[in-house]
Amino acid sequence: MDNNTGFIPCKRRITIVGTGNVGTHLAKALTRQRYDVSLIGSRMLTGLPERSDVILIAVKDDAIAETAKKLKGKAWCIAHTSGSVPMAVLEGCADAIGVFYPMQTFSKDVELNYSDIPFFIEGNSREAETVLSEIARSISGNVRLANSADRKKLHLAAVFACNFTNHLMAIADDILKENGMDYTVMLPLLRQTIDKLHSVPPSQAQTGPAARLDRNVLDAHIDMLKGERHLKELYEEMTAQIILKTHNNRIFTISDNQLQK
């Protein structure tokens, strides 16, 4: 046992509470790195080891605090995997508490390249941050420290970049299905959109009719959506935001199917 941390470096016992997407993926990845991993459900906590070195709580955000209370004293370090929940909800549950946040979208049946997934670590002590960082570095080369306030902003940015983008792709899928086409036709376009962000920032990578101020195309699109009020409003708002961002913060509005300056 490490006399400074209470952590057993020769045989790390990691318990992951939560069998959803995040917990399942982390269990597989850490097991491959020869950690002694237990993956258990959060409701009954069936199979919970008497004592672990580290417990990672991978449950819904609103269940983290209650789950942590049930785990009090069960590990030297208890951490959660949420991007938006402060570390403070774990206070009093273990000597060391922290956050082990992988900023990635997880689906159980979709394999991931863990080596470049950003992991954001927070701990209530240097020892906690060291141990959690060590675990993260065993599966990723992109590990950073981030406090709760910064992590909330990261999570907000991730929702815009990932969740909203995926929702827009779902809308595109519906439009394509209505016309007998498959969403996979969009994948080369999406790949190139992401790939060019390695070279230029998003503000310089924007293309399309809004960026070009192509009023004829914009009006035609809006006319096509006149029977879908919510989609029409979303298109108009997104168009206005792109124009606002792209053209020196000049304000444009869309009204009565016309783009107005």
Side-chain angles (χ1 to χ4, degrees):
M1 179 178 289
D2 187 321
N3 292 328
N4 293 322
T5 66
F7 187 72
I8 304 173
C10 59
K11 188 179 181 183
R12 300 171 178 85
R13 294 186 298 269
I14 301 175
T15 296
I16 299 175
V17 177
T19 56
N21 292 330
V22 176
T24 300
H25 267 282
L26 288 178
K28 289 179 180 178
L30 294 174
T31 297
R32 284 195 290 264
Q33 296 303 316
R34 299 185 179 181
Y35 285 97
D36 182 3
V37 178
S38 298
L39 176 64
I40 65 170
S42 59
R43 292 186 180 180
M44 303 301 294
L45 298 180
T46 302
L48 179 68
E50 183 61 30
R51 181 75 178 176
S52 301
D53 297 312
V54 174
I55 294 177
L56 300 177
I57 301 174
V59 300
K60 292 181 179 180
D61 287 1
D62 58 5
I64 290 174
E66 188 61 32
T67 301
K69 291 178 183 177
K70 298 176 184 177
L71 298 169
K72 185 175 181 179
K74 293 295 185 178
W76 168 74
C77 178
I78 295 179
H80 69 68
T81 62
S82 171
S84 60
V85 176
M87 180 178 65
V89 302
L90 303 176
E91 287 182 357
C93 295
D95 293 335
I97 59 173
V99 178
F100 189 85
Y101 170 48
M103 194 172 71
Q104 183 56 276
T105 175
F106 292 91
S107 296
K108 281 186 179 180
D109 298 327
V110 179
E111 289 299 318
L112 293 170
N113 176 12
Y114 288 89
S115 62
D116 63 355
I117 295 177
F119 278 78
F120 294 94
I121 304 298
E122 184 179 12
N124 66 337
S125 66
R126 181 177 296 178
E127 290 81 7
E129 290 182 342
T130 296
V131 169
L132 292 172
S133 295
E134 177 188 274
I135 295 171
R137 288 193 185 98
S138 74
I139 55 177
S140 172
N142 191 354
V143 180
R144 314 178 189 197
L145 298 180
N147 62 34
S148 291
D150 288 343
R151 198 173 61 256
K152 276 189 174 183
K153 292 180 181 179
L154 282 165
H155 191 257
L156 174 61
V159 168
F160 272 96
C162 176
N163 303 139
F164 289 176
T165 299
N166 190 76
H167 177 66
L168 293 174
M169 189 58 211
I171 292 172
D173 185 25
D174 290 340
I175 293 171
L176 292 168
K177 282 179 179 176
E178 290 174 359
N179 294 277
M181 292 179 280
D182 188 89
Y183 80 94
T184 56
V185 72
M186 292 287 176
L187 296 182
L189 174 64
L190 293 174
R191 279 194 292 269
Q192 178 59 21
T193 300
I194 296 299
D195 286 347
K196 69 180 175 180
L197 295 181
H198 292 284
S199 303
V200 295
S203 59
Q204 295 179 24
Q206 188 69 59
T207 62
R212 296 192 303 268
L213 294 180
D214 192 333
R215 288 169 170 79
N216 290 333
V217 174
L218 293 170
D219 289 345
H221 286 174
I222 291 168
D223 188 62
M224 291 168 67
L225 294 170
K226 62 184 179 182
E228 301 282 350
R229 181 174 63 85
H230 296 298
L231 290 185
K232 176 177 175 289
E233 291 175 354
L234 178 60
Y235 186 99
E236 291 174 341
E237 179 60 29
M238 292 293 288
T239 295
Q241 290 289 332
I242 291 171
I243 293 172
L244 182 67
K245 186 74 173 177
T246 305
H247 294 279
N248 300 318
N249 289 328
R250 290 182 291 170
I251 297 176
F252 291 74
T253 59
I254 298 176
S255 177
D256 298 325
N257 253 21
Q258 297 295 320
L259 188 65
Q260 306 291 335
K261 180 175 178 180

